[in-house]
Amino acid sequence: MATEGPPTCRVQVAEHPRLLKLKEMFNSKFGSIPKFYVRAPGRVNIIGEHIDYCGYSVLPMAVEQDILIAVEPVKANTLQLSNTNPLYPDFSTSANDIQIDKTKPLWHNYFLCGFKGIQEHFGLSNLPGMNCLVDGTIPPSSGLSSSSAVVCCAGLVTITVLGMNLSKVELAEICTRSERYIGTEGGGMDQSISFLAEEGTAKLIEFSPLRATDVKLPSGAVFVIASSCVEMNKAATAHFNTRVMECRLAAKLLAKYKGLQWGKVLRLEEVQADLRVGLEEMLLITEDALHPEPYSPEEVCRCLGISLQEFRTQILSPNTQDVLIFKLYQRAKHVFSEAARVLQFKKICEEAPDNTVELLGELMNQSHVSCRDLYECSCPELDQLVDVCRTFGAQGSRLTGAGWGGCTVSLVPTDKLPSFLANVHEAYYQRSDRSLVPENQRLFATKPGGGALVFLEA
């Protein structure tokens, strides 16, 4: 239940090779034994891209790949963070002086986000220190939410050390807010599915209030994740935050056009809710109210009747101050059409007609076209990979995650899976630069995994 906290499981560490290896590495590093372990999964978003921060429902599932942290509380107020991957250097800081540098999305900053989120939620000033060893199986910058999984893991680590309890929903909401310390204006899907996921089912995640509903996926097909081998770190680029801002500006212009109080409007869903109309009607209003040509900051100011100074200080985020063009029409059209596709996807899964896989695949294909053409968050490699996947038997294929690199997700009939994997491998991954990505991280079938939890040694 979402009202309960993440589960705690007692395990025989010796029977779990990964836990045992982590325990041994922890002992080698810190000269002691972990008191507990926490895991939080990555996720694949099946459909509903770039719409969670606009207030709309999304449809992800947790993947089996995860972040796993071994933890030992210590009396000193020092936070010692280490990673099993030698590419990520050790880090230590005072538990009572957490500084997060937005200009550098370094791995340890994501842990600090989760830690600081719990600290601020409870208004705590004197936190205990801890030794933590982090191990991850989610490929970084892949669009499978490795960074949010670290934030969620850190949040759960912190409340466990403090002996406090929070529900899965509360943890998801705190971790969503706290990831913004790193400068990413995300919407909450990644943190929500990391806590609310259940094995064997995808979830429709709805916001305000946050809730999750099971979505039973079709039995005759599997979802396959394929890496484009192009890394994209959304905290390191203005692309992501520019899209968030374009959607916010579109919401304000649509609200003003319809005579609503636009000043407090932040999300496109708020405009729809205030107007009490459907998504089709919102698409028609977008056609009337916005033009396809890009807007300059000056034109946005004229439309809203504000000064450039007010625009920069009251509306734009710090990392979008220098943006000179805003494509409001295209972004709004993507959001409203993608929100409708999510609801259609869920409806088809519920009704389960004979051609379910075909219908779901078509929605995924439409989603990719919209991401590519209207939201402009694809890249040549993702487009090529999507084409390759469709050529070799995927009913539907689309980019997943923020885009601009990362992964695709494809819906593949179960009987075609072996040939699909072999052919995609041959067609896309034979290039030398693409063969550098570890084989188990570049192309794999996945099924819905469980959510975040705490392990205690039995």
Side-chain angles (χ1 to χ4, degrees):
M1 290 289 292
T3 53
E4 298 168 355
T8 298
C9 302
R10 289 198 171 272
V11 293
Q12 296 285 348
V13 168
E15 294 173 8
H16 295 265
R18 188 166 161 224
L19 282 175
L20 181 60
K21 187 179 176 190
L22 193 61
K23 179 181 176 179
E24 288 167 352
M25 288 179 76
F26 189 98
N27 191 18
S28 170
K29 179 80 187 173
F30 297 111
S32 51
I33 301 296
K35 288 287 185 291
F36 63 91
Y37 306 81
V38 169
R39 65 89 61 174
R43 62 97 189 96
V44 59
N45 190 24
I46 299 169
I47 197 161
E49 219 58 76
H50 285 282
I51 63 173
D52 58 340
Y53 54 76
C54 297
Y56 285 108
S57 305
V58 291
L59 212 154
M61 67 182 188
V63 291
E64 290 148 19
Q65 288 81 356
D66 61 16
I67 299 294
L68 182 64
I69 305 183
V71 188
E72 178 194 25
V74 294
K75 288 192 169 69
N77 293 113
T78 306
L79 206 53
Q80 299 248 39
L81 305 178
S82 193
N83 199 301
T84 59
N85 186 334
L87 290 175
Y88 303 124
D90 291 358
F91 177 81
S92 67
T93 187
S94 165
N96 297 313
D97 184 29
I98 300 298
Q99 304 291 327
I100 299 170
D101 185 352
K102 285 188 179 183
T103 64
K104 295 176 184 169
L106 300 169
W107 78 274
H108 61 257
N109 282 334
Y110 292 98
F111 186 99
L112 298 181
C113 284
F115 184 87
K116 186 175 179 179
I118 298 298
Q119 183 182 23
E120 296 202 340
H121 177 78
F122 287 109
L124 302 170
S125 57
N126 193 26
L127 272 84
M130 58 182 99
N131 295 332
C132 296
L133 180 59
V134 179
D135 182 60
T137 55
I138 310 167
S141 301
S142 62
L144 301 179
S145 204
S146 57
S147 52
S148 296
V150 174
V151 177
C152 292
C153 228
L156 185 49
V157 163
T158 308
I159 66 159
T160 306
V161 166
L162 293 169
M164 292 175 160
N165 294 306
L166 287 170
S167 72
K168 295 174 190 176
V169 164
E170 288 170 318
L171 276 163
E173 290 177 335
I174 291 166
C175 290
T176 297
R177 289 194 300 273
S178 66
E179 192 165 333
R180 293 172 190 154
Y181 297 139
I182 202 97
T184 308
E185 301 278 340
M189 165 177 61
D190 304 346
Q191 300 82 1
S192 302
I193 191 65
S194 197
F195 284 112
L196 298 171
E198 291 180 70
E199 208 167 313
T201 182
K203 294 280 186 178
L204 180 79
I205 306 278
E206 299 171 89
F207 303 97
S208 302
L210 176 59
R211 57 212 183 278
T213 310
D214 289 359
V215 177
K216 189 177 184 331
L217 299 171
S219 55
V222 291
F223 288 93
V224 177
I225 294 169
S227 170
S228 68
C229 303
V230 177
E231 287 197 0
M232 183 272 170
N233 186 312
K234 69 183 180 220
T237 175
H239 288 313
F240 184 88
N241 289 329
T242 299
R243 293 298 181 277
V244 176
M245 194 49 59
E246 286 174 316
C247 291
R248 185 173 297 176
L249 294 175
K252 288 182 181 296
L253 263 66
L254 289 173
K256 181 131 195 291
Y257 177 80
K258 296 301 286 184
L260 301 174
Q261 295 285 324
W262 62 266
K264 291 184 179 174
V265 168
L266 295 176
R267 298 180 189 89
L268 287 162
E269 189 277 333
E270 294 168 25
V271 182
Q272 184 192 351
D274 285 350
L275 293 175
R276 298 184 182 181
V277 299
L279 289 161
E280 291 297 323
E281 180 69 17
M282 289 309 299
L283 283 164
L284 295 173
I285 292 169
T286 301
E287 293 286 348
D288 291 341
L290 303 175
H291 55 66
E293 299 77 25
Y295 288 73
S296 66
E298 291 77 11
E299 186 180 3
V300 174
C301 290
R302 284 198 300 275
C303 291
L304 295 178
I306 58 173
S307 70
L308 209 50
Q309 175 69 10
E310 288 172 309
F311 179 62
R312 292 208 167 107
T313 57
Q314 294 173 25
I315 297 178
L316 291 185
S317 57
N319 45 22
T320 55
Q321 296 285 322
D322 300 326
V323 179
L324 297 176
I325 61 165
F326 301 96
K327 296 188 177 181
L328 308 187
Y329 168 88
Q330 291 85 346
R331 310 315 184 217
K333 279 198 73 171
H334 165 76
V335 170
F336 294 133
S337 62
E338 185 78 347
R341 282 187 285 272
V342 170
L343 300 180
Q344 286 173 277
F345 197 101
K346 177 175 181 277
K347 187 165 183 275
I348 292 164
C349 286
E350 286 170 347
E351 294 174 354
D354 291 343
N355 60 340
T356 290
V357 174
E358 196 180 316
L359 293 172
L360 298 181
E362 181 51 37
L363 288 173
M364 292 172 70
N365 293 336
Q366 289 171 16
S367 172
H368 184 76
V369 170
S370 185
C371 286
R372 183 190 69 201
D373 297 345
L374 292 174
Y375 221 71
E376 296 178 278
C377 61
S378 191
C379 66
E381 293 85 354
L382 280 170
D383 295 337
Q384 182 198 351
L385 184 52
V386 161
D387 288 342
V388 166
C389 290
R390 290 180 193 160
T391 299
F392 291 116
Q395 284 285 352
S397 188
R398 58 179 292 276
L399 67 83
T400 185
W404 300 287
C407 290
T408 61
V409 59
S410 300
L411 183 59
V412 181
T414 308
D415 58 350
K416 290 185 180 174
L417 181 62
S419 64
F420 173 85
L421 293 173
N423 287 324
V424 172
H425 185 270
E426 179 74 24
Y428 191 80
Y429 296 104
Q430 291 306 306
R431 261 182 47 181
S432 59
D433 57 331
R434 291 175 182 164
S435 62
L436 295 175
V437 176
E439 198 159 332
N440 64 346
Q441 292 186 1
R442 64 188 184 209
L443 182 67
F444 53 90
T446 190
K447 53 184 189 285
L453 49 81
V454 178
F455 292 117
L456 295 176
E457 188 160 4

